[in-house]
Amino acid sequence: MPKTPEQWLAATSPAEKTKGSLKLFLGYAPGVGKTYSMLSEAIRRHSRGEDVVIGLVETHGRKGIAELASQLEVVPRRKIEYKGTVFEEMDVDAILARRPAVALVDELAHTNIPGSRHRKRYEDVLELLDAKIDVLSTVNIQHIESVAPTVHAITGIVVRETVPDWVLRIADETVMVDLTPEALQNRMKRGDIYQKEKVEQSLKNFFRRGNLIALRELALRQVAEQVDRTLASYLTEKDIQENWAVRERIAVCISGSPKAQYLVARAARMARRLDAEFYAVHVDVARDGHEDEKLLTANMQFAESLGGKAVRLKGDTVAGTAAQFVREKHITQVIFGRSAVEGWRKFLYLQAINKFLREAPAVDVHIVTQGAD
């Protein structure tokens, strides 16, 4: 039975040593240098004594790629006849029989010809990983399943071959192969990517500067999200309690009060300025029976409409539960509202703030006055 996505994700725990490692070279468009970078790394590994083979590399007629590929052993492709035409696909069985330490598999999103061992090339890669063979592979941002609709909206091009997002999450390393849009267009004009007759049309369509800028940002964000997940996993694995403020994360504590929307709007503005995530957090405690559910729901929806993540927690105290949330999510800034109150209510408010400061990791705290009740 093939593994489910959940089983593959579980198999990537640091303690797991029974599979090969997957390294992806991610680009935002054809021609940025993914295959060149993959081959360059493979040649370096080979020079260090690693047993490296090419499972499949597409040269697309590019001289530089062909020259690099000629320096490595190539596993012959499998010929498959389909509808009267003979096609060539990667020979998974031959690679498994050869049992190299590292296999190069270009164009991860490729759909195999009917009659192949698997429908998709990424499934071929999963089988190689299961056989403890390390894999170097390439993929463009438009071929990631969750990103393809956005790419269609930007470029007008329907992406037909995609890779599920979970496949990228099992990668041990993801390297973005970057090039400025201007440099990529120059490479296109020189005929380094497509044949001369295709250049002008490509520059007016997919390779328009605006398209390339947007695709590049999507790729950068994809890598940043993966790095962010890796850092969060590391902090959890090593039980590191203090916040490493590599990226700002803002949490605003809200209630079922009309004034809470002011706090949410304040948090959203701060998040935009800092390019930060922000959370709208409500803590249900036993004595909150008077909470206005309709207003609370409206406040949570308002936070989500501004790009925040609404979170509802249960706990004995607001301060203690909020402190635990800050620790788990590695929050760097917290916003609390303060009404203009006096007497015992002011005392209880200050007592709660002090409890939060005692129990939370190092975090910036903003006290925002909301006006009188």
Side-chain angles (χ1 to χ4, degrees), residues 24 34 67 82 158 160 197 199 218 222 251 298 357 362:
L24 290 178
K34 301 179 303 300
E67 288 175 351
Y82 178 65
V158 177
R160 303 193 184 280
E197 58 269 20
V199 170
L218 286 171
Q222 175 70 29
L357 293 173

Side-chain angles (χ1 to χ4, degrees), residues 52-269:
V52 181
V53 302
I54 292 177
L56 188 141
V57 164
E58 299 287 4
T59 66
H60 296 293
R62 297 169 193 166
K63 185 179 177 182
I65 299 297
E67 288 175 351
L68 288 182
S70 68
Q71 300 178 45
L72 296 168
E73 177 186 343
V74 179
V75 176
R77 301 185 189 189
R78 180 185 173 199
K79 291 180 171 57
I80 301 172
E81 185 176 342
Y82 178 65
K83 292 187 176 179
T85 304
V86 176
F87 296 88
E88 292 186 343
E89 293 287 6
M90 184 171 71
D91 194 333
V92 179
D93 286 322
I95 298 171
L96 292 172
R98 171 64 177 73
R99 297 202 65 79
V102 184
L104 276 64
V105 182
D106 211 1
E107 299 186 358
L108 188 65
H110 173 77
T111 301
N112 293 327
I113 291 296
S116 300
R117 186 182 186 88
H118 298 293
R119 191 180 71 87
K120 298 288 292 186
R121 188 169 289 164
Y122 75 79
E123 294 174 307
D124 296 335
V125 167
L126 296 180
E127 185 167 355
L128 296 180
L129 295 174
D130 234 357
K132 305 179 186 178
I133 298 171
D134 292 348
V135 175
L136 306 181
S137 189
T138 64
V139 68
N140 274 330
I141 188 65
Q142 66 264 31
H143 295 294
I144 298 174
E145 198 168 58
S146 66
V147 180
T150 303
V151 172
H152 176 237
I154 293 169
T155 66
I157 292 172
V158 177
V159 181
R160 303 193 184 280
E161 295 187 315
T162 60
V163 178
D165 289 53
W166 67 266
V167 175
L168 278 82
R169 291 200 295 273
I170 71 169
D172 299 85
E173 291 183 73
T174 299
V175 177
M176 176 158 173
V177 182
D178 196 19
L179 195 66
T180 65
E182 292 77 15
L184 182 58
Q185 287 181 323
N186 288 335
R187 188 176 283 183
M188 171 70 76
K189 291 172 185 175
R190 291 196 303 267
D192 294 344
I193 301 173
Y194 295 146
Q195 294 177 351
K196 292 285 187 181
E197 58 269 20
K198 290 185 177 180
V199 170
E200 285 303 317
Q201 182 182 358
S202 298
L203 288 171
K204 292 176 182 177
N205 293 291
F206 187 85
F207 284 82
R208 288 200 307 268
R209 184 170 179 271
N211 285 357
L212 297 180
I213 291 171
L215 292 168
R216 189 184 187 204
E217 180 171 349
L218 286 171
L220 287 166
R221 287 184 181 275
Q222 175 70 29
V223 174
E225 287 172 10
Q226 184 147 351
V227 171
D228 200 40
R229 285 195 299 270
T230 303
L231 178 59
S233 297
Y234 178 83
L235 294 175
T236 301
E237 176 193 340
K238 300 298 182 183
D239 194 27
I240 296 172
Q241 297 296 318
E242 65 269 21
N243 285 338
W244 292 3
V246 176
R247 184 184 184 191
E248 297 288 346
R249 293 182 178 85
I250 298 169
V252 55
C253 292
I254 65 171
S255 64
S257 162
K259 300 185 182 71
Q261 291 202 3
Y262 174 77
L263 297 178
V264 171
R266 181 76 172 267
R269 287 196 300 272

